[in-house]
Amino acid sequence: MKKPVCKLPLSLKITIFVLFSFASLLYASNNYAQRTMLNISSQTRTVSEVLTEIEKQTDFTFFYNNKQVDLKRKVGTVVKRIKLYNKLIANVI
């Protein structure tokens, strides 16, 4: 007597693949960008100087369009052990 062979339809295979893909994305939500802490002390610096300082302290590299970001704008930042992703990027750019 033959055992029944269980063949999954293509749509079910795709659904399972997509489910596992989304599950792996949810698992990776606490990544480097959200855990990185840095210190910057400055009363008045240009945006360009602040971004350079962040690049020195972290593994981040910033890409921007010079027409959209005023790199000569002065910003005042004094932060100690701040999470980069949550606070500083929103305040500088």
Side-chain angles (χ1 to χ4, degrees):
M1 185 171 203
K2 288 184 178 179
K3 290 185 179 181
V5 177
C6 181
K7 284 195 167 190
L8 297 175
L10 181 61
S11 61
L12 185 58
K13 290 178 183 178
I14 292 173
T15 303
I16 291 172
F17 174 75
V18 169
L19 254 160
F20 280 114
S21 297
F22 282 123
S24 65
L25 288 174
L26 290 174
Y27 179 73
S29 65
N30 189 13
N31 59 17
Y32 178 75
Q34 294 167 345
R35 290 181 286 130
T36 302
M37 305 288 270
L38 65 118
N39 298 313
I40 295 179
S41 281
S42 168
Q43 294 302 323
T44 54
R45 276 186 168 176
T46 63
V47 171
S48 177
E49 292 171 340
V50 172
L51 292 179
T52 303
E53 184 67 28
I54 294 170
E55 288 177 343
K56 285 180 185 176
Q57 291 187 26
T58 65
D59 292 332
F60 291 106
T61 303
F62 292 97
F63 297 96
Y64 44 82
N65 185 343
N66 290 336
K67 294 178 183 176
Q68 295 178 345
V69 179
D70 181 14
L71 296 176
K72 295 179 182 177
R73 180 174 57 117
K74 298 282 187 179
V75 292
T77 52
V78 178
V79 293
K80 294 185 181 189
R81 297 204 37 89
I82 191 168
K83 288 189 178 181
L84 175 69
Y85 185 79
N86 294 339
K87 301 285 182 183
L88 194 61
I89 295 300
N91 292 338
V92 171
I93 295 179

